[in-house]
CSV table of all heavy atoms in Angstrom, one decimal:
chain,number,residue,atom,x,y,z
K,118,LEU,N,3.8,-2.8,-14.3
K,118,LEU,CA,2.6,-2.2,-13.6
K,118,LEU,C,1.8,-3.5,-13.1
K,118,LEU,O,1.3,-4.2,-13.9
K,118,LEU,CB,1.8,-1.4,-14.5
K,118,LEU,CG,0.6,-0.5,-13.8
K,118,LEU,CD1,1.2,0.5,-12.8
K,118,LEU,CD2,-0.2,0.2,-14.9
K,119,GLU,N,1.8,-3.7,-11.8
K,119,GLU,CA,1.2,-4.9,-11.2
K,119,GLU,C,0.0,-4.6,-10.3
K,119,GLU,O,0.0,-3.6,-9.6
K,119,GLU,CB,2.3,-5.7,-10.5
K,119,GLU,CG,3.5,-6.1,-11.4
K,119,GLU,CD,4.5,-6.9,-10.6
K,119,GLU,OE1,4.2,-7.4,-9.5
K,119,GLU,OE2,5.6,-7.1,-11.2
K,120,GLU,N,-0.9,-5.5,-10.4
K,120,GLU,CA,-2.1,-5.5,-9.5
K,120,GLU,C,-1.9,-6.2,-8.2
K,120,GLU,O,-1.1,-7.2,-8.2
K,120,GLU,CB,-3.3,-6.0,-10.2
K,120,GLU,CG,-3.7,-5.4,-11.5
K,120,GLU,CD,-4.2,-4.0,-11.4
K,120,GLU,OE1,-4.7,-3.6,-10.3
K,120,GLU,OE2,-4.0,-3.2,-12.3
K,121,ASP,N,-2.6,-5.9,-7.2
K,121,ASP,CA,-2.6,-6.6,-5.9
K,121,ASP,C,-1.2,-6.8,-5.3
K,121,ASP,O,-0.9,-7.9,-4.9
K,121,ASP,CB,-3.3,-8.0,-6.1
K,121,ASP,CG,-4.7,-7.9,-6.7
K,121,ASP,OD1,-5.4,-6.9,-6.3
K,121,ASP,OD2,-5.1,-8.7,-7.5
K,122,VAL,N,-0.5,-5.8,-5.2
K,122,VAL,CA,0.9,-5.8,-4.6
K,122,VAL,C,0.7,-5.4,-3.1
K,122,VAL,O,0.1,-4.4,-2.8
K,122,VAL,CB,1.9,-4.9,-5.3
K,122,VAL,CG1,3.2,-4.9,-4.5
K,122,VAL,CG2,2.0,-5.2,-6.7
K,123,TRP,N,1.2,-6.2,-2.2
K,123,TRP,CA,1.0,-6.0,-0.8
K,123,TRP,C,1.9,-4.9,-0.3
K,123,TRP,O,3.1,-4.9,-0.6
K,123,TRP,CB,1.2,-7.3,0.0
K,123,TRP,CG,1.4,-7.0,1.5
K,123,TRP,CD1,2.5,-6.9,2.2
K,123,TRP,CD2,0.3,-6.8,2.4
K,123,TRP,NE1,2.2,-6.7,3.5
K,123,TRP,CE2,0.9,-6.6,3.7
K,123,TRP,CE3,-1.1,-6.8,2.3
K,123,TRP,CZ2,0.1,-6.4,4.8
K,123,TRP,CZ3,-1.9,-6.6,3.4
K,123,TRP,CH2,-1.3,-6.4,4.7
K,124,PHE,N,1.4,-4.0,0.5
K,124,PHE,CA,2.2,-2.9,1.1
K,124,PHE,C,1.8,-2.9,2.6
K,124,PHE,O,0.6,-3.0,2.9
K,124,PHE,CB,1.9,-1.5,0.5
K,124,PHE,CG,2.5,-1.3,-0.9
K,124,PHE,CD1,1.8,-1.7,-2.0
K,124,PHE,CD2,3.7,-0.7,-1.0
K,124,PHE,CE1,2.3,-1.5,-3.2
K,124,PHE,CE2,4.2,-0.5,-2.3
K,124,PHE,CZ,3.5,-0.9,-3.4
K,125,PRO,N,2.8,-2.7,3.5
K,125,PRO,CA,2.4,-2.5,4.9
K,125,PRO,C,2.0,-1.1,5.1
K,125,PRO,O,2.1,-0.3,4.2
K,125,PRO,CB,3.8,-2.8,5.6
K,125,PRO,CG,4.8,-2.4,4.6
K,125,PRO,CD,4.2,-2.7,3.3
K,126,THR,N,1.5,-0.8,6.3
K,126,THR,CA,1.2,0.6,6.6
K,126,THR,C,2.4,1.5,6.5
K,126,THR,O,3.5,1.1,6.9
K,126,THR,CB,0.7,0.7,8.1
K,126,THR,OG1,-0.6,0.0,8.2
K,126,THR,CG2,0.4,2.1,8.5
K,127,LYS,N,2.3,2.6,5.8
K,127,LYS,CA,3.4,3.5,5.5
K,127,LYS,C,3.0,4.9,5.9
K,127,LYS,O,2.0,5.4,5.4
K,127,LYS,CB,3.8,3.4,4.1
K,127,LYS,CG,5.0,4.3,3.7
K,127,LYS,CD,6.2,3.9,4.4
K,127,LYS,CE,7.4,4.8,4.0
K,127,LYS,NZ,8.6,4.6,4.7
K,128,ARG,N,3.8,5.6,6.7
K,128,ARG,CA,3.6,7.0,7.0
K,128,ARG,C,4.6,7.8,6.2
K,128,ARG,O,5.8,7.6,6.2
K,128,ARG,CB,3.8,7.2,8.5
K,128,ARG,CG,2.8,6.5,9.4
K,128,ARG,CD,3.1,6.6,10.8
K,128,ARG,NE,2.1,5.9,11.6
K,128,ARG,CZ,2.3,4.6,12.0
K,128,ARG,NH1,3.4,3.9,11.5
K,128,ARG,NH2,1.4,3.9,12.7
K,129,TYR,N,4.1,8.9,5.6
K,129,TYR,CA,4.9,9.9,4.9
K,129,TYR,C,4.9,11.2,5.7
K,129,TYR,O,4.4,11.2,6.8
K,129,TYR,CB,4.4,10.0,3.5
K,129,TYR,CG,4.5,8.8,2.7
K,129,TYR,CD1,3.3,8.0,2.6
K,129,TYR,CD2,5.6,8.3,2.1
K,129,TYR,CE1,3.3,6.8,1.9
K,129,TYR,CE2,5.6,7.1,1.4
K,129,TYR,CZ,4.5,6.4,1.3
K,129,TYR,OH,4.5,5.2,0.6
K,130,THR,N,5.4,12.2,5.2
K,130,THR,CA,5.5,13.5,5.9
K,130,THR,C,4.1,14.0,6.3
K,130,THR,O,3.8,14.4,7.4
K,130,THR,CB,6.3,14.5,5.1
K,130,THR,OG1,7.6,14.0,4.9
K,130,THR,CG2,6.4,15.8,5.9
K,131,ASP,N,3.2,14.0,5.3
K,131,ASP,CA,1.9,14.7,5.4
K,131,ASP,C,0.8,13.7,5.4
K,131,ASP,O,-0.4,14.2,5.5
K,131,ASP,CB,1.8,15.8,4.4
K,131,ASP,CG,2.8,16.8,4.4
K,131,ASP,OD1,3.2,17.3,5.6
K,131,ASP,OD2,3.3,17.2,3.4
K,132,PHE,N,1.0,12.5,5.2
K,132,PHE,CA,-0.1,11.5,5.1
K,132,PHE,C,0.4,10.1,5.4
K,132,PHE,O,1.6,9.9,5.5
K,132,PHE,CB,-0.8,11.6,3.7
K,132,PHE,CG,0.1,11.1,2.6
K,132,PHE,CD1,0.0,9.8,2.1
K,132,PHE,CD2,1.1,12.0,2.0
K,132,PHE,CE1,0.8,9.4,1.0
K,132,PHE,CE2,1.9,11.5,0.9
K,132,PHE,CZ,1.7,10.2,0.5
K,133,ALA,N,-0.5,9.2,5.5
K,133,ALA,CA,-0.2,7.8,5.7
K,133,ALA,C,-1.2,6.9,4.9
K,133,ALA,O,-2.3,7.4,4.6
K,133,ALA,CB,-0.2,7.4,7.1
K,134,LEU,N,-0.7,5.7,4.5
K,134,LEU,CA,-1.6,4.8,3.8
K,134,LEU,C,-1.7,3.5,4.5
K,134,LEU,O,-0.7,3.0,5.0
K,134,LEU,CB,-1.1,4.6,2.4
K,134,LEU,CG,-1.2,5.8,1.4
K,134,LEU,CD1,-0.5,5.4,0.1
K,134,LEU,CD2,-2.7,6.2,1.2
K,135,PRO,N,-2.9,2.9,4.6
K,135,PRO,CA,-3.0,1.7,5.4
K,135,PRO,C,-2.5,0.5,4.6
K,135,PRO,O,-2.3,0.5,3.4
K,135,PRO,CB,-4.5,1.5,5.6
K,135,PRO,CG,-5.1,2.3,4.4
K,135,PRO,CD,-4.2,3.4,4.1
K,136,ALA,N,-2.2,-0.6,5.3
K,136,ALA,CA,-1.7,-1.8,4.7
K,136,ALA,C,-2.7,-2.4,3.8
K,136,ALA,O,-3.9,-2.2,4.0
K,136,ALA,CB,-1.3,-2.8,5.8
K,137,GLY,N,-2.3,-3.1,2.8
K,137,GLY,CA,-3.2,-3.8,1.9
K,137,GLY,C,-2.7,-3.9,0.5
K,137,GLY,O,-1.5,-3.7,0.3
K,138,GLU,N,-3.5,-4.4,-0.4
K,138,GLU,CA,-3.1,-4.6,-1.8
K,138,GLU,C,-3.4,-3.4,-2.6
K,138,GLU,O,-4.5,-2.8,-2.5
K,138,GLU,CB,-3.7,-5.9,-2.3
K,138,GLU,CG,-3.3,-7.1,-1.6
K,138,GLU,CD,-4.0,-8.4,-2.1
K,138,GLU,OE1,-5.0,-8.2,-2.8
K,138,GLU,OE2,-3.4,-9.5,-1.9
K,139,TYR,N,-2.4,-3.0,-3.4
K,139,TYR,CA,-2.5,-1.8,-4.3
K,139,TYR,C,-2.0,-2.1,-5.7
K,139,TYR,O,-1.2,-3.1,-5.8
K,139,TYR,CB,-1.7,-0.7,-3.7
K,139,TYR,CG,-2.2,-0.1,-2.4
K,139,TYR,CD1,-1.8,-0.7,-1.2
K,139,TYR,CD2,-2.9,1.1,-2.4
K,139,TYR,CE1,-2.3,-0.2,0.0
K,139,TYR,CE2,-3.3,1.6,-1.2
K,139,TYR,CZ,-3.0,1.0,0.0
K,139,TYR,OH,-3.4,1.5,1.2
K,140,THR,N,-2.4,-1.4,-6.7
K,140,THR,CA,-1.7,-1.4,-8.0
K,140,THR,C,-0.4,-0.7,-7.8
K,140,THR,O,-0.3,0.4,-7.1
K,140,THR,CB,-2.6,-0.6,-9.0
K,140,THR,OG1,-3.8,-1.3,-9.2
K,140,THR,CG2,-1.8,-0.6,-10.4
K,141,ALA,N,0.7,-1.2,-8.4
K,141,ALA,CA,2.0,-0.6,-8.1
K,141,ALA,C,2.8,-0.6,-9.4
K,141,ALA,O,2.8,-1.5,-10.2
K,141,ALA,CB,2.7,-1.4,-7.1
K,142,LEU,N,3.5,0.6,-9.6
K,142,LEU,CA,4.5,0.7,-10.6
K,142,LEU,C,5.8,0.2,-9.9
K,142,LEU,O,6.3,0.8,-9.0
K,142,LEU,CB,4.7,2.1,-11.0
K,142,LEU,CG,5.8,2.4,-12.1
K,142,LEU,CD1,5.4,1.7,-13.4
K,142,LEU,CD2,6.0,3.9,-12.3
K,143,ARG,N,6.3,-1.0,-10.3
K,143,ARG,CA,7.4,-1.6,-9.7
K,143,ARG,C,8.7,-1.5,-10.5
K,143,ARG,O,8.7,-1.9,-11.7
K,143,ARG,CB,7.1,-3.1,-9.4
K,143,ARG,CG,5.9,-3.3,-8.5
K,143,ARG,CD,5.8,-4.8,-8.1
K,143,ARG,NE,6.7,-5.1,-7.0
K,143,ARG,CZ,7.3,-6.3,-6.8
K,143,ARG,NH1,7.1,-7.3,-7.6
K,143,ARG,NH2,8.1,-6.5,-5.8
K,144,ILE,N,9.7,-1.0,-9.9
K,144,ILE,CA,11.0,-0.9,-10.6
K,144,ILE,C,12.0,-1.8,-9.8
K,144,ILE,O,12.3,-1.6,-8.6
K,144,ILE,CB,11.6,0.5,-10.6
K,144,ILE,CG1,10.7,1.4,-11.5
K,144,ILE,CG2,13.0,0.6,-11.1
K,144,ILE,CD1,9.5,2.1,-10.7
Side-chain angles (χ1 to χ4, degrees):
L118 191 63
E119 300 184 14
E120 303 291 333
D121 302 326
V122 178
W123 168 262
F124 288 86
T126 296
K127 178 64 177 177
R128 296 177 184 85
Y129 301 96
T130 302
D131 300 318
F132 67 98
L134 290 175
E138 294 180 340
Y139 294 81
T140 299
L142 178 66
R143 301 188 79 210
I144 294 88

